[in-house]
Amino acid sequence: MLNIWGVILYLRLTWITAQAGIGLTWVIILLSSFITGITGLSTSAIATNGKVKGGGTYFLISRSLGPELGGSIGLIFAFANAVAVAMHTVGFAETVRDLMSEHGAVMVDRTNDIRIIGIVTVTLLLGLSMAGMAWESKAQVLFFLVIMVSLADYIVGTIIPATPEKQAKGFFSYKADIFVENFVPRWQGPESSFFGMFSIFFPSATGILAGANISGDLKNPTEAIPKGTLTAIFWTTISYLVISATIGSCVVRDASGLLNDTLSLSPPVRLVLV
């Protein structure tokens, strides 16, 4: 679940909901999960068809397709993981940069601050990985708790009655008319389309091979890999559906941020990012 949840959840899911509407966003989420679910079933079939040793995804693929294809796919998979790490690190660095800017803290400038924070983050993660699986497993528990607290904090925030200042920025409590208005798409920009939103969201459904990659450290990988992979896909899909529904029920697309302006649900422009 840690490898499936990512920066897209926090920075782009609300924007995708604004563009595609709640209905099409659900279609995008379910379609992405269906695609990764097929991969998860394939992984489960390989993992349960014989003894699973160390080597993770490379071992599973090479055992089924041969070492030549396994090696080539494993090389592509390694580059894909590197790109994914870069994407998540940049998203994290941008968020930290924005939080620092809100409090007037600037190291160099907006662009170089992202680079500095990103380099420090990647270095810390590299050290954590080189320390071994024992430290990585402990860190994963901590990271999982942080994510769960953030999701709980988000849900509580949707329930708390909004102040006039928040309403001026487009944040309300649950309202049926907001849900109805945000259920349909409202494309903004020439690049906005169903497949454009799908391509942006799809990385949020990947990362399902994290369990298979630690096959050598699992006590019973034949049982753990299928259960863990498919369960992770299910619960992350539920979380995406819930977040898109709740944000679409509480936030209007058009808000000026001025208390004196009369808020209107029509015409909507974009969903305020949280």
Side-chain angles (χ1 to χ4, degrees):
M1 292 174 71
L2 279 175
N3 282 268
I4 296 175
W5 282 324
V7 68
I8 305 295
L9 167 65
Y10 293 96
L11 299 183
R12 284 294 176 262
L13 183 56
T14 54
W15 177 75
I16 292 172
T17 306
Q19 295 280 347
I22 299 173
L24 284 183
T25 300
W26 285 349
V27 174
I28 291 172
I29 294 171
L30 293 175
L31 181 59
S32 301
S33 299
F34 175 74
I35 295 172
T36 55
I38 294 175
T39 306
L41 289 174
S42 301
T43 305
S44 301
I46 299 174
T48 55
N49 186 25
K51 186 176 180 180
V52 179
K53 301 178 181 179
T57 306
Y58 168 74
F59 172 79
L60 296 177
I61 295 175
S62 61
R63 190 182 69 181
S64 300
L65 303 178
E68 296 81 6
L69 287 176
S72 60
I73 294 175
L75 183 62
I76 297 173
F77 185 66
F79 281 110
N81 277 335
V83 173
V85 170
M87 180 185 70
H88 293 305
T89 301
V90 171
F92 171 77
E94 287 183 354
T95 304
V96 174
R97 188 274 315 273
D98 292 340
L99 290 173
M100 293 173 56
S101 299
E102 289 181 3
H103 295 83
V106 178
M107 290 182 286
V108 181
D109 53 51
R110 292 181 61 84
T111 301
N112 286 310
D113 283 1
I114 295 176
R115 293 168 178 165
I116 295 172
I117 297 171
I119 291 173
V120 172
T121 303
V122 170
T123 303
L124 291 176
L125 294 177
L126 175 62
L128 184 63
S129 299
M130 295 181 65
M133 276 299 303
W135 284 94
E136 186 177 350
S137 299
K138 295 177 182 178
Q140 285 182 349
V141 175
L142 175 62
F143 294 154
F144 183 78
L145 291 176
V146 171
I147 290 180
M148 295 305 296
V149 170
S150 71
L151 294 177
D153 179 68
Y154 162 78
I155 296 298
V156 172
T158 62
I159 299 174
I160 296 176
T163 62
E165 290 78 10
K166 289 185 177 180
Q167 292 181 9
K169 296 179 180 179
F171 296 90
F172 294 83
S173 298
Y174 291 97
K175 293 182 180 294
D177 53 350
I178 297 179
F179 177 86
V180 172
E181 181 65 35
N182 290 332
F183 192 83
V184 296
R186 181 74 63 165
W187 307 114
Q188 297 293 324
E191 73 285 352
S192 298
S193 64
F194 174 83
F195 289 104
M197 298 301 105
F198 175 80
S199 64
I200 293 174
F201 175 80
F202 186 74
S204 290
T206 59
I208 63 172
L209 297 178
N213 285 335
I214 58 172
S215 59
D217 300 289
L218 298 174
K219 182 182 297 184
N220 187 5
T222 302
E223 180 180 353
I225 291 175
K227 286 185 177 180
T229 302
L230 298 178
T231 304
I233 293 174
F234 174 79
W235 283 114
T236 52
T237 301
I238 294 297
S239 67
Y240 291 145
L241 294 173
V242 169
I243 290 176
S244 63
T246 53
I247 197 70
S249 304
C250 300
V251 184
V252 297
R253 283 167 161 143
D254 190 19
S256 66
L258 302 177
L259 288 174
N260 293 331
D261 284 355
T262 301
L263 294 177
S264 174
L265 295 180
S266 179
V269 177
R270 62 183 177 87
L271 199 65
V272 179
L273 296 179
V274 292

